[in-house]
Amino acid sequence: MELERISVVLRPRVTREAIDLGAAMLRANASPVWSAWFAFTLPVFVLCNALGVALGWPWLGWLLMWWLKPLFDRLPLYVLSRAVFDRAPGWRETLRGQRQWNWRSTLAGLSWLRIDSNRALRLPLDLLEGSTRKQRSARWKVLRRRLAGETSLLTYFCLLFELVLFLSVWLFALLLIPHEWRPESLTGLFRDGVRGVPTAWVLTGAAVAYLAMSVIEPLYVACGFALYLNRRTQLEAWDIDLAFRRLRARLQGLGMLLGVLLCVGVFAPAAQAQVHVDVPIAKPATVSLDTVFEGKTSDAERQRLAQAAAQAYRDPRFGGEHTVRRWQFKYAPKPDTTPTAVPFTWFGRMLAGFFQLLLWLLLAAALAGLLWLGWRWRGRWKAANEEPASALSSSVSAIADAPAALPADLAGAARALWQAQHRREALALLYRGCVEQTARELQQPPAPDATEAHWLRQARAIADPERSRRVIRIVRTWQFAAYAGRYPDDATVEQLLAGWPAQAGASP
């Protein structure tokens, strides 16, 4: 590996700094990364969704695009692994370069390692080092040590970010939908809408999910690659190696100058006298047991000494390496060697037991309260569901300030209230009568919690278009009066009171 050409400052970093380094690398090489990403993944997205539509399973495109993420991760890794050496490839070179990498690790990532939470850290090891399977297994045990938890958190947080982006687009679109077109509740949406969702909506959701994946997945790969570089820097001391290489390069630059100086010193002027001095070389003295112990030793003593030395070397405390594994608190306080007498220890134990008992009682009381509230609301829910459909007037009477029973002459009563300057009561009475007539026209009772938006949707289901327009106009007039304080003029009120629904037997 040519560490001299690397464009990243190599030094041991904490996990958060390594992840920030990955994000910075992605920002610096955003154009080559995302151009290669869309050049490969966009045709695959079209093919997957076309296959799902052809088979009658529009959701199949979502599943295939999520499952093929390990295949797509090869593209950002190829670009970033070349970009750290100051040579970011184009998207054509990136696509051609995929043939140089091993495909066995990608097949493993698409099968039994698909749900591996350490995929971001495993990917550079499998694709960049080119080692055998046995070597990768041994190296993976060392590489993931003290880093598996952080890599799993990176996977889960990126998955949450992708989900947030996906839901944000839909919630923003929901804010732009008019109120009367929205579903009554999420329960109603999942009960009535999901089973019959059109294919166009499914494909739109797949496109939004693909865009969210395209934003987060290259960031996930870049952060995993930065963690890989940081871990190798910690294990192999890349920063020290790089410092020595730069030192060697500087010394090599001075080599020619030193060579010239040496030549000048060797080929000095011939006038200098050459003196040859023969210095005897002393031979190293041999040290024996007799010299050490100042006397001759017998063969038995030599043998006993050799056995004692061999036994000492066999002791694990002196020779070889051994591994000791034990559990220890990460932030364990240092033991205090000076014992201090704590007074009134019995009082502290009694106080701790009292507070522990109090906490258990509070927990039991909270659980009992939740159960009681659930039972109480269950009874109210059953009573609301078992309410007879004939209670039409009582369910709508809470909306407006009007009597519980409608008068026989609805138009005359509303006109009298309007002429008596009770404009809100007159429009409320007209709105209630319109609700009952619409319910009879559709032959279905209204829901107890029906709102104006609900009746606007029901009005569009009336077969007679003239009656549908009159219901919508009455509901809109009541909304402007009740919520905005905008009342119509007398002529408009007379038009609303003339004919159906103010007069049940009249024509539209």
Side-chain angles (χ1 to χ4, degrees), residues 284-499:
T286 59
V287 180
S288 62
L289 293 176
D290 297 337
T291 306
V292 174
F293 292 103
E294 297 180 353
K296 295 185 177 180
T297 56
S298 62
D299 295 338
E301 291 175 350
R302 293 173 181 272
Q303 187 175 3
R304 285 197 304 271
L305 184 59
Q307 291 176 357
Q311 184 178 0
Y313 280 118
R314 285 196 298 269
D315 193 338
R317 293 175 298 176
F318 297 102
E321 296 180 357
H322 60 281
T323 304
V324 178
R325 296 180 181 271
R326 64 175 180 268
W327 289 96
Q328 185 177 358
F329 286 105
K330 186 175 182 181
Y331 303 105
K334 296 182 178 180
D336 191 3
T337 57
T338 59
T340 57
V342 181
F344 303 108
T345 56
W346 60 270
F347 180 73
R349 289 194 296 268
M350 184 178 67
L351 194 63
F354 170 73
F355 279 109
Q356 185 178 7
L357 179 61
L358 182 62
L359 289 176
W360 280 111
L361 291 176
L362 289 177
L363 179 61
L367 292 176
L370 289 176
L371 291 175
W372 178 76
L373 288 176
W375 180 263
R376 183 178 178 183
W377 283 104
R378 178 177 176 271
R380 291 188 179 183
W381 181 261
K382 291 179 62 177
N385 289 338
E386 293 174 359
E387 183 180 359
S390 60
L392 175 64
S393 298
S394 61
S395 64
V396 188
S397 60
I399 302 175
D401 304 327
L406 290 175
D409 185 10
L410 179 63
R415 187 179 291 107
L417 289 173
W418 183 266
Q419 292 175 357
Q421 298 300 318
H422 298 292
R423 298 183 296 176
R424 179 183 176 86
E425 290 79 2
L427 294 179
L429 183 62
L430 178 60
Y431 171 67
R432 291 180 59 237
C434 174
V435 166
E436 289 202 2
Q437 293 296 336
T438 304
R440 292 192 184 96
E441 182 73 17
L442 297 176
Q443 297 180 358
Q444 59 180 7
D449 55 348
T451 60
E452 290 89 349
H454 172 78
W455 293 112
L456 288 174
R457 290 193 296 267
Q458 296 294 329
R460 294 181 176 87
I462 300 177
D464 190 351
E466 184 62 28
R467 291 192 173 188
S468 176
R469 285 192 293 269
R470 288 185 65 85
V471 170
I472 293 175
R473 189 176 180 185
I474 291 174
V475 173
R476 288 295 190 190
T477 303
W478 162 249
Q479 283 183 321
F480 292 151
Y483 302 113
R486 296 169 54 187
Y487 292 94
D489 54 7
D490 296 341
T492 304
V493 172
E494 287 297 331
Q495 292 178 2
L496 297 178
L497 295 177

Side-chain angles (χ1 to χ4, degrees), residues 225-240:
F225 181 54
L227 289 175
Y228 169 78
L229 292 178
N230 185 57
R231 184 58 177 161
R232 288 199 62 177
T233 302
Q234 295 173 354
L235 293 175
E236 304 173 20
W238 277 359
D239 52 341
I240 301 177

Side-chain angles (χ1 to χ4, degrees), residues 45 48-54 56-65 166 170 193-211:
F45 169 75
C48 291
N49 285 275
L51 179 62
V53 172
W57 301 332
W59 49 266
L60 185 62
W62 287 33
L63 179 61
L64 290 178
M65 291 300 294
F166 175 76
W170 289 106
V194 171
R195 297 178 182 176
V197 173
T199 305
W201 284 105
V202 177
L203 296 180
T204 304
V208 174
Y210 167 70
L211 292 177

Side-chain angles (χ1 to χ4, degrees), residues 24-91:
M25 290 165 53
L26 181 63
R27 289 195 302 268
N29 304 277
S31 178
V33 168
W34 269 292
S35 61
W37 173 272
F38 285 111
F40 182 75
T41 59
L42 190 58
V44 176
F45 169 75
V46 174
L47 290 177
C48 291
N49 285 275
L51 179 62
V53 172
L55 295 177
W57 301 332
W59 49 266
L60 185 62
W62 287 33
L63 179 61
L64 290 178
M65 291 300 294
W66 174 80
W67 195 267
L68 292 176
K69 276 186 178 182
L71 176 63
F72 302 152
D73 291 345
R74 296 165 60 101
L75 302 167
L77 181 62
Y78 187 90
V79 176
L80 294 175
S81 62
R82 270 66 180 172
V84 293
F85 292 100
D86 239 353
R87 190 176 59 85
W91 65 271

